[in-house]
Amino acid sequence: MRLLYFAWVREKAGLSSEEVELPADVTTVAELMAWQKTRGQEFASAFERAEVIRAAVDQAHAKPETEIAGASEIAFFPPVTGG
Amino acid sequence: MIRVQSEDFDIGAEIEALRKGRSDIGAIVSFTGTVREGDGPDALESMTLEHYPGMTEKELARIEAEAHERWPLQASLIVHRYGTLKPGDNIVLVVTASSHRHAAFEAASFLMDYLKSSAPFWKQEKGKQGPRWVASRDSDDAAKARWDKPTAQPKAKPKISAVE
């Protein structure tokens, strides 16, 4: 699965994209965020305020309870500030 | 039509292209968002817009399609820039065309409110105090919420007044 990071989430995580094999018990966006916190200092810092981080599953806005099975691309980012 | 680009846009040329050869349009509304310099210690030197290529185009197209479902629009355009911009530069252009002005005004406002709270762009400002990611504003979510369709509610029984 491909993971993408944008804005300050990207800066704190220290990378903009990666390919990962997820543990079998990670099945929702919320579980994926909880897993990210366990991946070392950078990820713990990036996902420290997980409640403010938004996610997109296959380029569509997702909720914490959104299922991620079969997704090919999941992105994490702060609330958007365009316009 | 939607476009995501680093280059500047010419508002007059964009509107002209949209209306060219058409005589069915009665009202054209355009909104342009530009980089505000600010003042004092918060004054900007530049602003960099990051976005999510792929999702950005999908979100803008989805928002535009929704505007066409809600209002009788004959044409519309969203252009959003990314990259590093200077104070005074153009950021975003929304143009809506309809037979009558109300639909054009409302759809343009709707497009901007939706775009600000769902298109995946992030602004980073650079000033004297170094780079700073712009925080989202609750007022933007509130602006979007005013377009929410009311949920269907059971009709209240008419009150019967015993005494007129």
Side-chain angles (χ1 to χ4, degrees):
Chain A
M1 182 180 287
R2 187 172 157 83
L3 301 182
L4 302 173
Y5 308 100
F6 292 95
W8 56 254
V9 182
R10 168 179 57 72
E11 288 183 341
K12 288 186 175 187
L15 77 174
S16 56
S17 73
E18 60 177 337
E19 292 286 338
V20 297
E21 291 274 342
L22 293 184
D25 60 346
V26 174
T27 62
T28 64
V29 166
E31 287 168 2
L32 179 49
M33 289 218 211
W35 177 72
Q36 293 280 32
K37 288 183 183 179
T38 69
R39 300 178 64 206
Q41 207 175 344
E42 278 85 8
F43 280 88
S45 159
F47 286 87
E48 188 182 0
R49 292 162 61 218
E51 69 281 1
V52 304
I53 296 177
R54 309 294 163 89
V57 174
D58 287 336
Q59 304 191 347
H61 289 290
K63 294 193 167 83
E65 63 271 23
T66 301
E67 300 274 343
I68 59 174
S72 56
E73 183 175 301
I74 299 182
F76 295 98
F77 43 79
V80 302
T81 54
Chain B
M1 194 168 55
I2 62 126
R3 274 190 354 246
V4 182
Q5 61 188 43
S6 59
E7 310 86 64
D8 193 13
F9 49 80
D10 178 330
I11 300 159
E14 297 292 351
I15 293 173
E16 210 43 52
L18 190 99
R19 65 183 291 186
K20 194 172 184 205
R22 304 188 64 153
S23 54
D24 57 335
I25 295 171
I28 298 171
V29 166
S30 80
F31 170 86
T32 309
T34 60
V35 180
R36 191 174 59 240
E37 183 171 27
D39 49 29
D42 296 329
L44 284 196
E45 286 161 15
S46 69
M47 170 184 280
T48 300
L49 275 136
E50 179 173 333
H51 79 115
Y52 181 175
M55 181 173 171
T56 306
E57 290 81 356
K58 281 183 189 165
E59 275 298 302
L60 293 180
R62 186 180 66 79
I63 296 165
E64 185 182 48
E66 189 161 346
H68 280 255
E69 272 177 32
R70 292 186 181 212
W71 290 276
L73 301 179
Q74 278 140 343
S76 60
L77 171 69
I78 306 173
V79 183
H80 204 303
R81 296 180 69 191
Y82 62 87
T84 298
L85 307 174
K86 297 263 182 264
D89 282 355
N90 293 323
I91 304 173
V92 60
L93 173 67
V94 161
V95 185
T96 52
S98 186
S99 301
H100 300 287
R101 71 183 186 282
H102 290 303
F105 271 125
E106 285 188 7
S109 192
F110 167 89
L111 286 172
M112 279 309 302
D113 287 344
Y114 262 57
L115 182 159
K116 281 189 94 78
S117 55
S118 73
F121 285 94
W122 301 274
K123 288 178 180 141
Q124 190 184 49
E125 297 177 343
K126 289 193 181 72
K128 288 194 174 67
Q129 303 182 24
R132 179 185 81 90
W133 289 103
V134 173
S136 67
R137 296 183 345 178
D138 290 341
S139 61
D140 288 338
D141 285 335
K144 184 191 177 204
R146 74 195 168 105
W147 300 103
D148 287 350
K149 289 174 179 163
T151 48
Q153 289 182 350
K155 280 182 185 167
K157 284 182 185 167
K159 278 184 185 168
I160 300 165
S161 52
V163 182
E164 285 296 319

